[in-house]
Amino acid sequence: MAELLRAVDLHVGFSASAGEVLRGVDLVLEEGETVALTGASGGGKSLCARALLGLLPPDAHRSGRVVWRGEDLTAAGPERWRRARGRGMVFIPQEP
């Protein structure tokens, strides 16, 4: 199987809050696999998904690495993130 997505030491915080909301998330998703993020309401599942897809709100800051199909998107600009999302990355919110 080919590796599709890898998150390495992913952290997300907000400028208005003290500390981070997500701390040290590591994830590997290979082609053909299904992964479920589970946890309590408000635990950061949607925020994690948004961080993995480069869809964080403007006041959020992310650190760590996000690698999509072998390409490190960590420092990629908005256009590169849009192309990655347009070619296989999808976020379906809980309440679309």
Side-chain angles (χ1 to χ4, degrees):
M1 279 194 250
E3 185 176 293
L4 293 178
L5 177 69
R6 176 178 294 267
V8 180
D9 199 28
L10 188 63
H11 295 251
V12 177
F14 291 89
S15 53
S17 68
E20 298 170 317
V21 179
L22 291 179
R23 290 179 218 83
V25 174
D26 292 312
L27 172 77
V28 175
L29 178 62
E30 293 190 6
E31 192 174 310
E33 277 189 315
T34 301
V35 174
L37 295 175
T38 63
S41 178
K45 299 175 297 294
S46 293
L47 185 64
C48 183
R50 289 180 180 280
L52 291 170
L53 276 84
L55 294 173
L56 289 172
D59 62 334
H61 53 88
R62 181 191 66 225
S63 65
R65 291 179 46 224
V66 176
V67 179
W68 171 249
R69 295 185 183 260
E71 180 183 1
D72 191 340
L73 295 178
T74 305
E79 179 58 32
R80 181 61 195 111
W81 277 102
R82 277 192 290 277
R83 285 195 319 268
R85 286 190 301 268
R87 293 191 175 120
M89 296 174 104
V90 178
F91 175 59
I92 301 171
Q94 294 180 64
E95 298 177 27

